[in-house]
Amino acid sequence: MEPYPLKFLKNLNRGREVITVLINYGFGDLLERLGLLKYLKWGRRMISRKKHEEFEEFTSAQRIRLALQELGPSFVKFGQILSTRPDLIPSEIIEELCLLQENVPVFASEKVHETIQNEFKKPALEVFASFEDEPLAAGSLGQVHLARNENGQQLAVKIRRPGVVQEVERDVALMLEIAQLIERHIPEYRIFDPVGLVNHFTRTIRREMSFQREARAMQEFSRLFEDDPRLCVPNVDEGRSTDAVLTMEFMEGLHIDDLEAIQKSALNPKTIARQGAQIFLKQAFEYGMFHGDPHPGNIRVKRDGSIVLLDYGMIGFLEEEKRELLVDLFLSIARHDVDSTIRTILALGQPTQSVDRPALRADTRDFIDAYYGVDLGKLNIRQLLNDFVSILSNHGLRCPGDMMLLIRAIITLEGIGRQLDPKFNLAEVIAPAIEKLVRRRYDPKRIAEKAISDIKQLFRTAHDLPLHLGRTLQKASQDELKVQFEHKGLDRLIHEFDRCSNRIVVGLVVSSLLVSTALIIRTTMTESLFIAIPLFMMSGFLGLWLVWGILRSGRL
């Protein structure tokens, strides 16, 4: 029996809103395959189908963007996260998702003061020496206000939007339910990994909603770059920060995409472009922790030329193994080593389907030929990364979320660099970083440390092996050894058997009613016809309904 979508039923009103919007934008067939149309009232269903006609001239990608935009901030955020996954999402949809904007109104100052009161158990003017009710900026998760402390220092206070946690959790539960239904009912969409995408979004949005987590990230960046004057990280005021309120040092600066203002301040745009790229690459390749959303709105330039990064809600992490694989990718391309490049691609991407090795080799050879002989410092990094992602996508290889976040951030940075300096080439900055990593890889001290670590791991494995072997033999001798088999695809078969048996039963009941009532009408007196004729008509109606259901399913 098909299980009910419990989270959908628990949030039925919001679920109906989602269904209505999706029908409005022409996704009624998808909802019908998921079995969700039955939860929308017949009248609203008809109105929504008529409204769909207004959007028939739009492409599918445009309708997806418009639907997400209408569904609100949680779904807009989801679309923005999807735009970082070109390894899973088609390019035409990615282009539309990049246009999503968070059009959210500011929330009332009364709500701001209420949040501060709830978090600190005292009013805002007792927490801060002064507090401005007019927000400086607003987003889907919160808004920023200016304040001052008792020393007169200007502060930026980030207040979480009231009720946003509950709204996001409700929408995330619905997204997960729909994703599970898609994987269950629409096998051809499994290649997009709907459940994996929703889980990735859930982790990301929960990180962003936790201001304490963001504060810890800012403090870690500040520690890592304390000896590097090129990057300024706002200091966190821990005494005035909670999970819903983040207070930090207010830092003034020029918008990095305001080229005219930068030039008027006697700053060199070329130096700033190069310096910004060096800072980011140092984060990713040296520390393995990088700012995940370096768009122009989150970057400021101070009068002394140092760079300020804002909004640390989205942070990416790159493990040392992944950093080494990226180095291997660049080196194997430079050496025209097809086999090494294929091994690196397969190590970076997780297969979602069987990989066609000959086709992958052919595409990899074309990929390498396009860049072979080009000096590392002259590579077109944007095109190289886009081609790399295309290979992953074409061969069903899913890249880790943080890796795709890094690729997107690098492409964004190159665009910012070209705004500042039309001749800017990110490869000239990446080349020294790669060379530094290669030198570090073959450093005798590091090789010795890695060898010692591997030997320790080997000894631990050897020490645990007899214990595990003994447990296995004991279970086998006591007939407790179990082998688990997972049957994939049987749920759909069982569901089809269930439908077939139901139709057979209904058909038998209808036919028996038709025959019995026909005999009653033929053989009984007139007074019995008042019962027999309605039963006969009802039986006929049920028979027609059964035939209509079979015809509509397309499985006559």
Side-chain angles (χ1 to χ4, degrees):
M1 183 177 178
E2 182 69 17
Y4 288 105
L6 298 178
K7 293 185 179 69
F8 192 90
L9 293 173
K10 185 179 178 181
N11 302 292
L12 190 56
N13 288 335
R14 176 58 172 165
R16 283 172 173 167
E17 288 178 25
V18 173
I19 291 175
T20 301
V21 170
L22 291 176
I23 293 177
N24 288 348
Y25 289 97
F27 299 105
D29 293 340
L30 174 68
L31 294 170
E32 190 167 359
R33 292 183 68 181
L34 298 181
L36 293 177
L37 279 183
K38 58 188 174 186
Y39 298 108
L40 190 63
K41 293 178 180 178
W42 185 84
R44 289 181 68 180
R45 202 182 306 175
M46 292 299 104
I47 294 171
S48 297
R49 288 188 185 277
K50 288 182 179 180
K51 191 175 180 181
H52 158 53
E53 298 173 3
E54 303 173 14
F55 300 98
E56 286 183 346
E57 68 274 13
F58 291 96
T59 65
S60 296
Q62 289 173 326
R63 288 187 283 115
I64 289 172
R65 173 177 60 82
L66 292 169
L68 292 175
Q69 191 84 53
E70 188 169 328
L71 285 170
S74 299
F75 286 85
V76 169
K77 279 278 186 185
F78 181 56
Q80 291 171 339
I81 296 296
L82 289 183
S83 69
T84 68
R85 302 306 305 266
D87 57 323
L88 293 174
I89 308 300
S91 57
E92 62 273 14
I93 297 178
I94 292 286
E95 290 175 8
E96 285 295 325
L97 294 178
C98 288
L99 302 176
L100 283 170
Q101 299 292 327
E102 296 179 5
N103 297 320
V104 292
V106 299
F107 53 92
S109 59
E110 291 80 9
K111 294 289 185 182
V112 173
H113 285 273
E114 184 180 326
T115 301
I116 294 173
Q117 178 72 40
N118 292 337
E119 293 297 316
F120 298 103
K121 309 304 177 187
K122 51 186 174 182
L125 292 179
E126 288 186 21
V127 180
F128 306 97
S130 66
F131 186 88
E132 294 187 15
D133 289 341
E134 192 67 28
L136 188 66
S140 59
L141 301 181
Q143 60 191 36
V144 180
H145 293 255
L146 288 177
R148 289 186 184 275
N149 62 14
E150 57 277 3
N151 297 323
Q153 182 187 17
Q154 202 166 24
L155 304 171
V157 185
K158 189 174 179 181
I159 310 290
R160 191 166 65 194
R161 188 173 288 273
V164 71
V165 175
Q166 292 78 10
E167 290 175 11
V168 167
E169 291 296 339
R170 176 200 63 191
D171 286 347
V172 160
L174 288 173
M175 290 178 197
L176 183 59
E177 193 90 66
I178 292 172
Q180 290 169 342
L181 289 172
I182 288 173
E183 289 200 352
R184 190 182 304 140
H185 294 286
I186 312 179
E188 61 268 28
Y189 283 3
R190 289 175 190 162
I191 191 174
F192 301 124
D193 189 23
V195 172
L197 286 172
V198 173
N199 287 333
H200 173 59
F201 168 69
T202 303
R203 286 192 300 271
T204 303
I205 195 73
R206 283 175 178 165
R207 288 176 186 173
E208 288 194 60
M209 289 191 299
S210 174
F211 289 177
Q212 286 185 334
R213 188 185 185 102
E214 182 175 350
R216 289 194 296 271
M218 293 173 69
Q219 290 168 334
E220 182 64 13
F221 272 94
S222 183
R223 184 187 66 80
L224 293 173
F225 285 87
E226 61 184 350
D227 297 325
D228 192 337
R230 296 175 300 175
L231 176 66
C232 288
V233 181
N235 292 319
V236 176
D237 188 335
E238 292 187 59
R240 295 183 175 92
S241 297
T242 67
D243 205 45
V245 177
L246 176 59
T247 304
M248 70 194 87
E249 173 188 6
F250 177 76
M251 304 193 87
E252 293 188 22
L254 305 170
H255 286 261
I256 198 165
D257 56 351
D258 192 348
L259 184 58
E260 185 179 346
I262 290 173
Q263 289 172 335
K264 285 181 179 178
S265 300
L267 297 171
N268 188 341
K270 294 181 180 180
T271 304
I272 292 170
R274 190 176 187 86
Q275 187 171 290
Q278 288 171 343
I279 289 169
F280 183 82
L281 294 173
K282 185 177 181 179
Q283 293 174 16
F285 289 105
E286 191 169 331
Y287 299 130
M289 177 181 179
F290 59 91
H291 194 291
D293 195 18
H295 65 78
N298 285 337
I299 307 176
R300 301 286 187 274
V301 182
K302 297 183 75 175
R303 299 292 175 178
D304 61 359
S306 59
I307 290 174
V308 179
L309 284 176
L310 305 174
D311 193 356
Y312 290 79
M314 190 181 292
I315 300 296
F317 297 92
L318 201 63
E319 297 169 2
E320 187 170 0
E321 180 188 358
K322 295 293 187 291
R323 284 178 266 166
E324 295 286 348
L325 287 172
L326 282 176
V327 172
D328 289 338
L329 179 66
F330 283 108
L331 292 179
S332 58
I333 292 171
R335 295 169 182 164
H336 203 269
D337 189 341
V338 177
D339 291 328
S340 178
T341 305
I342 290 174
R343 283 196 299 272
T344 305
I345 288 173
L346 291 173
L348 283 169
Q350 179 184 354
T352 58
Q353 59 189 34
S354 59
V355 178
D356 186 343
R357 293 295 182 115
L360 177 60
R361 172 173 282 275
D363 287 347
T364 303
R365 186 177 295 280
D366 292 342
F367 172 60
I368 291 177
D369 288 343
Y371 302 101
Y372 179 63
V374 180
D375 185 73
L376 190 59
K378 295 181 180 179
L379 284 173
N380 185 335
I381 296 297
R382 175 190 288 263
Q383 190 59 47
L384 185 147
L385 291 175
N386 282 332
D387 290 345
F388 170 69
V389 171
S390 295
I391 290 177
L392 294 178
S393 176
N394 293 338
H395 293 277
L397 297 169
R398 183 169 65 241
C399 201
D402 282 347
M403 181 73 74
M404 293 310 306
L405 192 63
L406 174 67
I407 290 173
R408 183 201 184 197
I410 289 175
I411 292 172
T412 302
L413 278 173
E414 188 181 39
I416 295 172
R418 290 190 185 278
Q419 282 183 308
L420 293 168
D421 176 15
K423 296 181 180 180
F424 175 74
N425 185 4
L426 186 59
E428 294 176 359
V429 185
I430 286 183
I434 297 294
E435 291 168 4
K436 185 177 180 180
L437 283 172
V438 172
R439 286 196 302 270
R440 182 170 172 264
R441 174 187 289 184
Y442 297 110
D443 179 53
K445 182 180 177 182
R446 185 170 180 274
I447 292 174
E449 289 174 352
K450 194 171 188 309
I452 292 170
S453 175
D454 290 343
I455 291 170
K456 286 180 179 178
Q457 180 65 38
L458 184 62
F459 274 116
R460 278 195 295 268
T461 304
H463 176 271
D464 294 340
L465 183 61
L467 178 63
H468 294 311
L469 186 60
R471 286 177 179 173
T472 303
L473 292 174
Q474 184 181 6
K475 286 186 176 182
S477 64
Q478 295 174 354
D479 294 332
E480 293 178 357
L481 193 64
K482 297 178 181 178
V483 179
Q484 290 185 344
F485 289 96
E486 182 182 359
H487 298 280
K488 294 185 177 180
L490 279 183
D491 289 344
R492 184 172 178 82
L493 181 63
I494 292 169
H495 176 60
E496 291 300 324
F497 274 129
D498 192 38
R499 289 178 61 185
C500 289
S501 60
N502 287 342
R503 285 179 176 176
I504 291 170
V505 170
V506 172
L508 288 172
V509 170
V510 168
S511 59
S512 61
L513 280 173
L514 281 171
V515 172
S516 59
T517 50
L519 289 173
I520 291 172
I521 292 171
R522 180 73 179 84
T523 59
T524 58
M525 303 298 292
T526 307
E527 50 270 17
S528 301
L529 294 179
F530 291 105
I531 299 174
I533 291 176
L535 281 174
F536 184 80
M537 293 178 66
M538 184 180 70
S539 304
F541 174 76
L542 286 173
L544 290 173
W545 173 76
L546 181 61
V547 172
W548 167 247
I550 295 171
L551 289 173
R552 192 177 62 173
S553 69
R555 296 172 183 167
L556 186 61

